[in-house]
mmCIF file of all heavy atoms in Angstrom:
data_model
loop_
_atom_site.group_PDB
_atom_site.id
_atom_site.type_symbol
_atom_site.label_atom_id
_atom_site.label_comp_id
_atom_site.label_asym_id
_atom_site.label_seq_id
_atom_site.Cartn_x
_atom_site.Cartn_y
_atom_site.Cartn_z
ATOM 1 N N ASN A 35 -15.142 -36.504 -43.603
ATOM 2 C CA ASN A 35 -16.506 -36.048 -43.076
ATOM 3 C C ASN A 35 -16.306 -35.198 -41.785
ATOM 4 O O ASN A 35 -17.090 -35.413 -40.878
ATOM 5 C CB ASN A 35 -17.385 -37.236 -42.854
ATOM 6 C CG ASN A 35 -17.589 -37.980 -44.150
ATOM 7 O OD1 ASN A 35 -17.838 -37.426 -45.189
ATOM 8 N ND2 ASN A 35 -17.525 -39.306 -44.073
ATOM 9 N N VAL A 36 -15.383 -34.360 -41.781
ATOM 10 C CA VAL A 36 -15.107 -33.436 -40.604
ATOM 11 C C VAL A 36 -15.850 -32.078 -40.870
ATOM 12 O O VAL A 36 -15.822 -31.580 -41.908
ATOM 13 C CB VAL A 36 -13.624 -33.174 -40.461
ATOM 14 C CG1 VAL A 36 -13.444 -32.260 -39.311
ATOM 15 C CG2 VAL A 36 -12.889 -34.457 -40.316
ATOM 16 N N GLY A 37 -16.513 -31.667 -39.828
ATOM 17 C CA GLY A 37 -17.196 -30.497 -39.792
ATOM 18 C C GLY A 37 -18.489 -30.359 -40.669
ATOM 19 O O GLY A 37 -18.971 -31.376 -41.201
ATOM 20 N N GLU A 38 -19.058 -29.291 -40.692
ATOM 21 C CA GLU A 38 -20.409 -29.039 -41.345
ATOM 22 C C GLU A 38 -20.371 -29.285 -42.835
ATOM 23 O O GLU A 38 -21.328 -29.621 -43.583
ATOM 24 C CB GLU A 38 -21.059 -27.700 -41.083
ATOM 25 C CG GLU A 38 -20.217 -26.521 -41.526
ATOM 26 C CD GLU A 38 -20.760 -25.224 -41.158
ATOM 27 O OE1 GLU A 38 -21.177 -25.027 -39.950
ATOM 28 O OE2 GLU A 38 -20.878 -24.265 -41.912
ATOM 29 N N ASN A 39 -19.194 -29.166 -43.522
ATOM 30 C CA ASN A 39 -18.976 -29.429 -44.915
ATOM 31 C C ASN A 39 -18.578 -30.768 -45.276
ATOM 32 O O ASN A 39 -18.168 -30.992 -46.423
ATOM 33 C CB ASN A 39 -18.092 -28.388 -45.587
ATOM 34 C CG ASN A 39 -18.737 -26.907 -45.408
ATOM 35 O OD1 ASN A 39 -19.931 -26.771 -45.515
ATOM 36 N ND2 ASN A 39 -17.880 -25.884 -45.163
ATOM 37 N N ASN A 40 -18.434 -31.720 -44.303
ATOM 38 C CA ASN A 40 -17.928 -32.997 -44.484
ATOM 39 C C ASN A 40 -16.631 -33.034 -45.225
ATOM 40 O O ASN A 40 -16.437 -33.672 -46.184
ATOM 41 C CB ASN A 40 -19.007 -33.921 -45.210
ATOM 42 C CG ASN A 40 -20.176 -34.103 -44.366
ATOM 43 O OD1 ASN A 40 -20.075 -34.270 -43.226
ATOM 44 N ND2 ASN A 40 -21.320 -34.013 -44.953
ATOM 45 N N SER A 41 -15.641 -32.212 -44.697
ATOM 46 C CA SER A 41 -14.400 -31.982 -45.358
ATOM 47 C C SER A 41 -13.384 -33.058 -44.977
ATOM 48 O O SER A 41 -13.760 -33.845 -44.081
ATOM 49 C CB SER A 41 -13.800 -30.728 -44.926
ATOM 50 O OG SER A 41 -14.658 -29.616 -45.467
ATOM 51 N N ILE A 42 -12.268 -33.158 -45.616
ATOM 52 C CA ILE A 42 -11.082 -34.115 -45.237
ATOM 53 C C ILE A 42 -10.115 -33.218 -44.591
ATOM 54 O O ILE A 42 -9.804 -32.085 -44.980
ATOM 55 C CB ILE A 42 -10.504 -34.718 -46.463
ATOM 56 C CG1 ILE A 42 -11.639 -35.587 -47.232
ATOM 57 C CG2 ILE A 42 -9.312 -35.589 -46.085
ATOM 58 C CD1 ILE A 42 -11.161 -36.173 -48.485
ATOM 59 N N VAL A 43 -9.572 -33.662 -43.452
ATOM 60 C CA VAL A 43 -8.472 -33.084 -42.869
ATOM 61 C C VAL A 43 -7.220 -34.033 -42.820
ATOM 62 O O VAL A 43 -7.320 -35.176 -42.499
ATOM 63 C CB VAL A 43 -8.739 -32.766 -41.329
ATOM 64 C CG1 VAL A 43 -7.594 -32.150 -40.619
ATOM 65 C CG2 VAL A 43 -9.917 -31.842 -41.250
ATOM 66 N N TYR A 44 -6.183 -33.526 -43.410
ATOM 67 C CA TYR A 44 -5.033 -34.254 -43.609
ATOM 68 C C TYR A 44 -4.055 -33.939 -42.449
ATOM 69 O O TYR A 44 -3.964 -32.813 -41.938
ATOM 70 C CB TYR A 44 -4.299 -33.894 -44.910
ATOM 71 C CG TYR A 44 -5.130 -34.211 -46.095
ATOM 72 C CD1 TYR A 44 -6.025 -33.237 -46.677
ATOM 73 C CD2 TYR A 44 -5.218 -35.442 -46.692
ATOM 74 C CE1 TYR A 44 -6.890 -33.566 -47.700
ATOM 75 C CE2 TYR A 44 -6.115 -35.855 -47.737
ATOM 76 C CZ TYR A 44 -6.882 -34.694 -48.196
ATOM 77 O OH TYR A 44 -7.695 -35.072 -49.316
ATOM 78 N N THR A 45 -3.238 -34.954 -41.939
ATOM 79 C CA THR A 45 -2.261 -34.719 -40.965
ATOM 80 C C THR A 45 -0.908 -34.996 -41.361
ATOM 81 O O THR A 45 -0.690 -36.182 -41.924
ATOM 82 C CB THR A 45 -2.623 -35.503 -39.625
ATOM 83 O OG1 THR A 45 -4.056 -35.226 -39.261
ATOM 84 C CG2 THR A 45 -1.706 -35.195 -38.508
ATOM 85 N N LEU A 46 0.022 -33.981 -41.253
ATOM 86 C CA LEU A 46 1.494 -34.371 -41.519
ATOM 87 C C LEU A 46 2.220 -34.167 -40.186
ATOM 88 O O LEU A 46 1.806 -33.329 -39.257
ATOM 89 C CB LEU A 46 2.025 -33.317 -42.524
ATOM 90 C CG LEU A 46 1.307 -33.185 -43.882
ATOM 91 C CD1 LEU A 46 2.068 -32.011 -44.689
ATOM 92 C CD2 LEU A 46 1.381 -34.513 -44.603
ATOM 93 N N GLU A 47 3.285 -34.901 -40.058
ATOM 94 C CA GLU A 47 4.265 -34.790 -38.985
ATOM 95 C C GLU A 47 5.450 -34.032 -39.555
ATOM 96 O O GLU A 47 6.137 -34.590 -40.341
ATOM 97 C CB GLU A 47 4.585 -36.102 -38.318
ATOM 98 C CG GLU A 47 5.496 -35.883 -37.146
ATOM 99 C CD GLU A 47 5.925 -37.278 -36.493
ATOM 100 O OE1 GLU A 47 5.265 -38.313 -36.797
ATOM 101 O OE2 GLU A 47 6.726 -37.193 -35.613
ATOM 102 N N SER A 48 5.657 -32.825 -38.959
ATOM 103 C CA SER A 48 6.826 -32.001 -39.423
ATOM 104 C C SER A 48 8.154 -32.657 -39.017
ATOM 105 O O SER A 48 8.193 -33.420 -38.077
ATOM 106 C CB SER A 48 6.670 -30.632 -38.844
ATOM 107 O OG SER A 48 7.045 -30.606 -37.449
ATOM 108 N N PRO A 49 9.241 -32.192 -39.594
ATOM 109 C CA PRO A 49 10.501 -32.731 -39.172
ATOM 110 C C PRO A 49 10.770 -32.516 -37.725
ATOM 111 O O PRO A 49 11.571 -33.386 -37.032
ATOM 112 C CB PRO A 49 11.546 -31.949 -40.081
ATOM 113 C CG PRO A 49 10.762 -31.660 -41.262
ATOM 114 C CD PRO A 49 9.350 -31.354 -40.748
ATOM 115 N N SER A 50 10.309 -31.609 -37.118
ATOM 116 C CA SER A 50 10.467 -31.220 -35.641
ATOM 117 C C SER A 50 9.545 -32.141 -34.796
ATOM 118 O O SER A 50 9.575 -32.033 -33.518
ATOM 119 C CB SER A 50 10.318 -29.846 -35.313
ATOM 120 O OG SER A 50 8.983 -29.453 -35.576
ATOM 121 N N GLY A 51 8.650 -32.974 -35.372
ATOM 122 C CA GLY A 51 7.757 -33.783 -34.621
ATOM 123 C C GLY A 51 6.316 -33.159 -34.364
ATOM 124 O O GLY A 51 5.467 -33.724 -33.793
ATOM 125 N N GLU A 52 6.148 -31.913 -34.857
ATOM 126 C CA GLU A 52 4.876 -31.197 -34.700
ATOM 127 C C GLU A 52 3.860 -31.807 -35.652
ATOM 128 O O GLU A 52 4.127 -32.084 -36.724
ATOM 129 C CB GLU A 52 5.020 -29.705 -34.933
ATOM 130 C CG GLU A 52 3.892 -28.874 -34.928
ATOM 131 C CD GLU A 52 4.180 -27.459 -35.472
ATOM 132 O OE1 GLU A 52 5.241 -27.228 -35.852
ATOM 133 O OE2 GLU A 52 3.113 -26.709 -35.308
ATOM 134 N N MET A 53 2.649 -31.920 -35.107
ATOM 135 C CA MET A 53 1.491 -32.382 -36.011
ATOM 136 C C MET A 53 0.851 -31.184 -36.732
ATOM 137 O O MET A 53 0.535 -30.236 -35.973
ATOM 138 C CB MET A 53 0.485 -33.159 -35.213
ATOM 139 C CG MET A 53 1.005 -34.510 -34.754
ATOM 140 S SD MET A 53 1.504 -35.560 -36.009
ATOM 141 C CE MET A 53 2.126 -36.977 -35.198
ATOM 142 N N ILE A 54 0.680 -31.242 -37.965
ATOM 143 C CA ILE A 54 0.123 -30.162 -38.701
ATOM 144 C C ILE A 54 -1.081 -30.672 -39.457
ATOM 145 O O ILE A 54 -1.033 -31.737 -40.068
ATOM 146 C CB ILE A 54 1.073 -29.585 -39.839
ATOM 147 C CG1 ILE A 54 2.432 -29.137 -39.146
ATOM 148 C CG2 ILE A 54 0.482 -28.547 -40.589
ATOM 149 C CD1 ILE A 54 3.532 -28.979 -40.136
#
Side-chain angles (χ1 to χ4, degrees):
N35 301 314
V36 178
E38 62 186 44
N39 295 322
N40 294 319
S41 299
I42 299 175
V43 176
Y44 301 93
T45 304
L46 302 181
E47 182 177 351
S48 74
S50 67
E52 172 188 9
M53 293 300 176
I54 302 167

